[in-house]
């Protein structure tokens, strides 16, 4: 036998048994994106590396160590890798916004996207090299009203998916002016303590001291004593933050202040987001305030499975089986007529006895079976596979009768 090939490390296949939970979460994503007035955007899965380097800042993990590089075909001009698989969607969306002159569209612009992202980090539970995000971005609104709206939206997403106990963590690191003051305060605090920091943090202290706070190995005692960003906010940023808190209170959204929340990008969380008011300018566009979030779909699905979230019932499945094992063409013909009527139907072309066909139908999750008798018979039997009840139906009105029976007799129930 030939050697088997397995999936790349850090990726995972979506198997059929997991699909209903994914579909449920995706349905909530599409529904909420539309109900909140967002317009869909899709950008390429790979972009020029420079976009992410500029967009995310050279000192973020996503750029520093997690870039998934892509190169062109051997011998081509682009062979030396200039591209990377997108580690997150915001940079690509802002690139598209600038490239298509979208600043002339009615402002604020509200965009959403659902798709795969790639980070070349060491895989672990819930941390993959390929994962899916639901992303929303609002460009052109300085807040704080839209900040509260997006946090409420994320909150509603988890509630509609059925996840319990999700809490928003909130912080503000201010604007360019107050952030610079805060950065200095952090450097002053951590510099004399640098021997107690991890090697990573010692380096970050030089490049971006804020990121020392999101080092998960940081001594909790040092973290607790560190200056807090909220104490360094300028008047405008303090007002913004207080306004946001007030609105969240009015909307009834639960949140906690988290003083160590400084970057969003590297957090081990269900989702993350925040303002990026300076990014559009950094990427060569006209300055515009912007905010967004990215919610991890994989981690949401894992959470839903752990909490055994009840999924809405699907339309019942009808199986078409026949007394004669070799009657496959007629099974297909009847299945097609039932599908024309809008039913969800399966059948197969295997040559099996009626009892084997029924067994296979039940295993495949069929709730109903249409049993075809000997060829030439103008009648068929509809069997409720749960109760065993049967009714005799005329073939020429079969589809309408099955639709009626299925509508009336299948109670709507949740399925796991
Ligand atoms: P992020 O915090 O890096 O933010 O990612 C958002 C979410 O994506 C995370 O909370 C997590 O659920 C999921 N995620 C990230 N990395 C992985 C991974 N390796 N495996 C599985 N899930 C993962 C951003 O990407 C920002 N662009 C969010 C944003 C949008 N900010 C403004 N607009």
């Amino acid at each position: 036998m030939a050697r088997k090939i397995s999936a790349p490390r850090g990726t995972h296949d979506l198997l059929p048994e997991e699909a209903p939970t994914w579909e449920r979460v995706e349905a909530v994503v599409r529904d909420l994106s539309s109900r909140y007035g967002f317009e869909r955007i899709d950008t390429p899965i790979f972009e020029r590396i420079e976009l992410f380097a500029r967009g995310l800042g050279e000192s973020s993990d996503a750029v520093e160590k997690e870039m998934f590089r892509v190169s062109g075909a051997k011998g081509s001009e682009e062979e030396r890798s200039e591209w990377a698989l997108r580690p997150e969607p915001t940079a690509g969306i802002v690139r598209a916004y600038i490239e298509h002159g979208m600043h002339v569209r009615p402002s604020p612009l509200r965009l959403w996207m659902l798709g795969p992202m790639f980070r070349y980090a060491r895989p672990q539970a819930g941390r993959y090299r390929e994962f899916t995000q639901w992303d929303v971005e609002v460009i052109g609104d300085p807040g704080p009203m839209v900040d509260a709206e997006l946090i409420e939206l994320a909150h509603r997403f988890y509630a509609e998916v059925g996840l319990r106990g999700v809490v928003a963590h909130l912080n503000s690191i201010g604007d360019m002016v107050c952030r610079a003051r805060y950065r200095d305060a952090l450097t002053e605090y951590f510099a004399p303590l640098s021997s107690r920091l991890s090697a990573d943090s010692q380096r970050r202290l030089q490049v971006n001291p804020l990121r020392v706070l999101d080092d998960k190995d940081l001594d909790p005692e040092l973290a607790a004593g560190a200056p807090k960003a909220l104490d360094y906010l300028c008047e405008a940023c303090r007002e913004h933050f207080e306004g946001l808190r007030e609105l969240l209170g009015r909307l009834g959204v639960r949140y906690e202040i988290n003083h160590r929340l400084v970057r969003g990008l590297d957090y081990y969380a269900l989702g993350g987001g925040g303002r990026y008011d300076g990014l559009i300018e950094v990427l060569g566009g006209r300055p515009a305030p912007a905010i967004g979030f990215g919610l991890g779909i994989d981690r949401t699905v894992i959470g839903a499975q752990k909490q055994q979230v009840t999924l809405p019932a699907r339309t019942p499945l009808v199986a078409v089986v026949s007394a004669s094992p070799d009657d496959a063409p007629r099974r297909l013909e009847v299945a097609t007529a039932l599908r024309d009527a809008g039913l969800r139907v399966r059948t197969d072309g295997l040559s099996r006895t009626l009892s084997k066909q029924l067994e296979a139908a039940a295993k495949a999750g069929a709730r109903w079976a249409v049993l075809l008798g000997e060829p030439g018979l103008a009648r068929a039997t509809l069997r409720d596979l749960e109760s065993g009840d049967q009714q005799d139906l005329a073939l020429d009105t079969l589809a309408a009768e099955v639709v009626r029976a299925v509508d009336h007799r299948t109670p709507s129930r949740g399925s796991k």
Side-chain angles (χ1 to χ4, degrees):
M1 265 210 292
R3 192 172 55 86
K4 288 185 196 141
I5 299 171
S6 45
R9 239 159 72 80
T11 66
H12 57 128
D13 297 309
L14 169 61
L15 299 179
E17 52 274 20
E18 239 195 324
T21 314
W22 270 88
E23 280 172 12
R24 167 72 187 141
V25 174
E26 286 165 352
V28 174
V29 162
R30 286 176 216 287
D31 179 53
L32 288 178
S33 297
S34 148
R35 275 163 63 199
Y36 277 67
F38 285 90
E39 295 180 285
R40 176 172 164 175
I41 186 165
D42 272 321
T43 61
I45 280 173
F46 65 99
E47 298 263 8
R48 304 187 85 79
I49 281 184
E50 192 198 346
L51 173 69
F52 303 121
R54 270 208 266 161
L56 304 178
E58 306 272 2
S59 72
S60 79
D61 274 353
V63 172
E64 225 175 352
K65 354 181 220 202
E66 301 181 355
M67 204 67 94
F68 215 123
R69 284 163 185 267
V70 185
S71 56
K74 228 179 162 50
S76 74
E77 256 179 66
E78 293 97 351
E79 184 183 352
R80 239 165 300 142
S81 84
E82 294 187 329
W83 305 308
L85 298 178
R86 60 186 184 198
E88 62 84 47
T90 313
I93 291 176
V94 168
R95 195 258 319 127
Y97 168 86
I98 297 168
E99 189 167 339
H100 302 288
M102 288 167 86
H103 62 276
V104 301
R105 295 182 187 223
S107 178
L109 197 60
R110 297 162 74 86
L111 302 169
W112 75 278
M113 181 160 109
L114 176 70
M117 308 295 151
F118 304 84
R119 293 183 196 177
Y120 196 80
R122 200 162 50 81
Q124 23 183 308
R127 190 171 284 267
Y128 306 113
R129 287 182 171 164
E130 181 187 27
F131 59 98
T132 300
Q133 264 188 23
W134 174 37
D135 184 80
V136 310
E137 309 291 350
V138 180
I139 301 178
D141 189 332
M145 180 273 205
V146 65
D147 309 33
E149 188 188 16
L150 292 197
I151 295 170
E152 190 277 331
L153 170 57
H155 186 78
R156 188 187 299 273
F157 167 74
Y158 296 116
E160 293 207 357
V161 162
L163 275 190
R164 297 172 299 272
V166 179
V167 178
H169 286 230
L170 198 63
N171 197 17
S172 169
I173 52 170
D175 58 18
M176 298 312 245
V177 181
C178 39
R179 196 171 316 151
R181 286 205 304 139
Y182 179 51
R183 207 182 290 249
D184 291 345
L186 280 178
T187 311
E188 206 173 302
Y189 171 79
F190 281 121
L193 304 166
S194 89
S195 61
R196 292 169 65 187
L197 299 178
S198 69
D200 244 2
S201 275
Q202 292 186 8
R203 201 176 37 78
R204 286 167 173 183
L205 190 55
Q206 311 298 320
V207 200
N208 183 358
L210 266 71
R211 298 215 43 236
V212 175
L213 288 173
D214 63 12
D215 182 345
K216 60 179 178 348
D217 298 325
L218 178 64
D219 178 345
E221 209 180 296
L222 292 192
K228 298 179 172 50
L230 295 182
D231 295 334
Y232 289 81
L233 296 184
C234 62
E235 197 49 38
C237 289
R238 196 189 341 267
E239 259 176 41
H240 186 120
F241 195 65
E242 288 311 317
L244 169 59
R245 293 188 63 173
E246 211 256 316
L247 284 164
L248 289 176
R250 276 165 68 165
L251 298 176
V253 176
R254 273 180 64 200
Y255 67 91
E256 284 169 13
I257 301 290
N258 179 345
H259 296 292
R260 287 182 66 179
L261 190 63
V262 287
R263 284 278 322 173
L265 268 177
D266 305 295
Y267 265 83
Y268 186 89
L270 280 172
R275 289 213 149 261
Y276 52 97
D277 291 345
L279 179 64
I280 299 175
E281 203 176 357
V282 165
L283 293 178
R286 285 163 201 241
I291 184 169
F293 67 56
L295 307 190
I297 300 301
D298 311 71
R299 291 183 193 169
T300 303
V301 168
I302 293 171
Q305 286 167 338
K306 272 198 192 135
Q307 295 191 1
Q308 304 201 327
V309 161
T310 306
L311 302 173
R314 304 179 72 185
T315 29
L317 181 65
V318 179
V320 178
V321 298
S322 62
S324 153
D326 299 322
D327 215 4
R330 209 156 60 98
R331 294 198 293 267
L332 178 60
E333 205 181 335
V334 170
T336 304
L338 296 178
R339 287 171 182 146
D340 281 344
L343 290 160
R344 196 160 75 90
V345 183
R346 66 173 281 147
T347 189
D348 65 62
L350 302 189
S351 184
R352 292 189 282 199
T353 62
L354 178 60
S355 65
K356 286 270 186 266
Q357 292 175 54
L358 281 168
E359 209 179 290
K363 273 195 194 143
R367 171 66 209 281
W368 299 88
V370 168
L371 280 74
L372 306 176
E374 293 306 323
L377 217 69
R379 307 197 66 80
T381 306
L382 177 65
R383 183 185 290 180
D384 181 333
L385 293 176
E386 245 169 43
S387 66
D389 291 352
Q390 299 204 145
Q391 61 191 112
D392 183 50
L393 302 173
L395 261 189
D396 52 2
T397 53
L398 186 69
E401 298 279 0
V402 174
V403 167
R404 190 167 319 135
V406 164
D407 278 354
H408 282 147
R409 304 265 314 274
T410 315
S412 64
R413 51 200 172 108
S415 63
K416 288 272 168 72

